[in-house]
Amino acid sequence: MRQQTVVMYVEIGCFVTCLCGWILICSTLATEYWTFSEVGSVVLTTGNYYSNLWMDCVSDTTGVSDCKYYPSMMDLPVFLHVSRALAVISVIFGFWGSVLALIGMKCTKIGGSELTNTRVTFAAALTYMASGFCGIIVYSMWGDKVRTDFLDPYYLEQKFELGAAVFIGWGGSCLIICGSALMCYFSGRKSFPQRFTKKPRRPPTYMTANTRRTYMLPGSPRHTTIIMPPLYQQNRENRQRSESRGTKGTQEIQSLKTVRLTRPPIDSAV
């Protein structure tokens, strides 16, 4: 009972951790500061350029900002399409992971048997893990592209730096991965107990040449009797019967020969 209570509290902690990470990932989709750049030609006039997956924005020192969505989806680069798709997939996986975790956790008691709830929790952990990996791939790709363009001396366009949304996304993805890994371990031990229990291994055996129904352990002279299948035993008994009949027949023939040899001839008797 105490172990089940500990597992229940661990599941609650993992669920809260994954839920916080998912909320952080969702917040980055609405944040404009994925990349930013500050351009100041005059002391009193400074322009801030920042963008995200959906739009480009610009603001000045007076506080006036203007954002413009990307004009056409067909004209966007493949990198931006892949980033959008992975970000949306991460949010969807996180949502379904939360639903499955609420159904399968021990504290909710919504599902059926304990084994069914544990396996639902295991599925929620895998869904959360997929969400975390999708998110960390998006932010890592984005950060690598920004870093490569910034350090490239032949890149003549305006250079940007990493925004706050990328770091928030990294943190949220790490929270989801850590929480889902711990949840997957504890739920997997209950869902598939035969794979986690270690069975003692017996030393290898071999069959001796002298006997057919005994095994000899290596390093020990004692024989261990084994049980043969019924079909094998029946065939063996039939073989023994046929052999015994053959031996009896040969014995009778030999006895007849000896009788014939010991009987005196007719002429000598007369």
Side-chain angles (χ1 to χ4, degrees):
M1 186 65 183
R2 184 177 181 182
Q3 184 179 2
Q4 292 182 357
T5 306
V6 172
V7 172
M8 182 181 68
Y9 285 124
V10 170
E11 287 181 354
I12 294 173
C14 294
F15 171 71
V16 172
T17 303
C18 294
L19 185 63
C20 292
W22 178 68
I23 292 173
L24 290 177
I25 290 178
C26 292
S27 66
T28 59
L29 298 183
T31 305
E32 292 86 3
Y33 287 93
W34 283 57
T35 57
F36 78 96
S37 177
E38 183 175 351
V39 179
S41 57
V42 187
V43 178
L44 298 178
T45 305
T46 304
N48 296 323
Y49 298 90
Y50 49 93
S51 62
N52 61 357
L53 296 173
W54 321 103
M55 65 184 72
D56 287 327
C57 299
V58 61
S59 64
D60 55 9
T61 54
T62 59
V64 178
S65 61
D66 185 18
C67 294
K68 181 180 180 181
Y69 287 93
Y70 295 124
S72 174
M73 290 186 62
M74 299 301 177
D75 196 23
L76 296 177
V78 179
F79 169 77
L80 196 58
H81 284 296
V82 173
S83 300
R84 284 180 175 182
L86 288 175
V88 174
I89 290 172
S90 177
V91 173
I92 293 173
F93 275 149
F95 172 76
W96 286 112
S98 302
V99 173
L100 292 174
L102 288 174
I103 294 173
M105 284 195 307
K106 296 182 180 298
C107 59
T108 55
K109 299 180 180 180
I110 298 177
S113 62
E114 184 178 357
L115 182 61
T116 304
N117 289 343
T118 308
R119 289 184 177 178
V120 171
T121 307
F122 184 74
L126 294 181
T127 309
Y128 267 135
M129 191 172 292
S131 173
F133 277 115
C134 288
I136 204 167
I137 288 172
V138 171
Y139 302 111
S140 299
M141 287 172 52
W142 192 276
D144 182 71
K145 183 179 183 302
V146 173
R147 184 191 64 85
T148 303
D149 294 341
F150 189 84
L151 298 178
D152 189 6
Y154 300 101
Y155 186 76
L156 303 179
E157 298 181 7
Q158 186 176 354
K159 296 184 177 181
F160 291 88
E161 298 181 6
L162 293 176
V166 179
F167 297 99
I168 294 173
W170 273 330
S173 301
C174 291
L175 286 177
I176 292 179
I177 291 173
C178 293
S180 62
L182 195 59
M183 185 187 297
C184 185
Y185 173 73
F186 279 97
S187 60
R189 290 186 62 182
K190 297 293 183 180
S191 301
F192 310 100
Q194 64 275 11
R195 296 187 180 182
F196 287 88
T197 54
K198 296 182 179 180
K199 298 181 180 180
R201 293 185 177 180
R202 298 182 61 184
T205 59
Y206 62 94
M207 185 175 290
T208 59
N210 297 328
T211 58
R212 295 183 178 180
R213 297 187 63 188
T214 58
Y215 277 110
M216 181 181 290
L217 297 177
S220 64
R222 187 177 62 182
H223 295 278
T224 304
T225 304
I226 62 172
I227 300 174
M228 293 296 180
L231 183 60
Y232 179 82
Q233 292 181 358
Q234 187 178 1
N235 294 335
R236 191 167 182 273
E237 290 175 358
N238 294 334
R239 197 185 309 113
Q240 289 178 356
R241 290 175 183 175
S242 62
E243 290 177 357
S244 63
R245 289 176 183 176
T247 54
K248 287 181 180 180
T250 53
Q251 289 177 1
E252 291 177 357
I253 293 170
Q254 290 178 359
S255 62
L256 291 174
K257 287 181 179 179
T258 55
V259 168
R260 289 177 181 177
L261 291 175
T262 54
R263 181 180 298 177
I266 299 174
D267 297 335
S268 60
V270 172

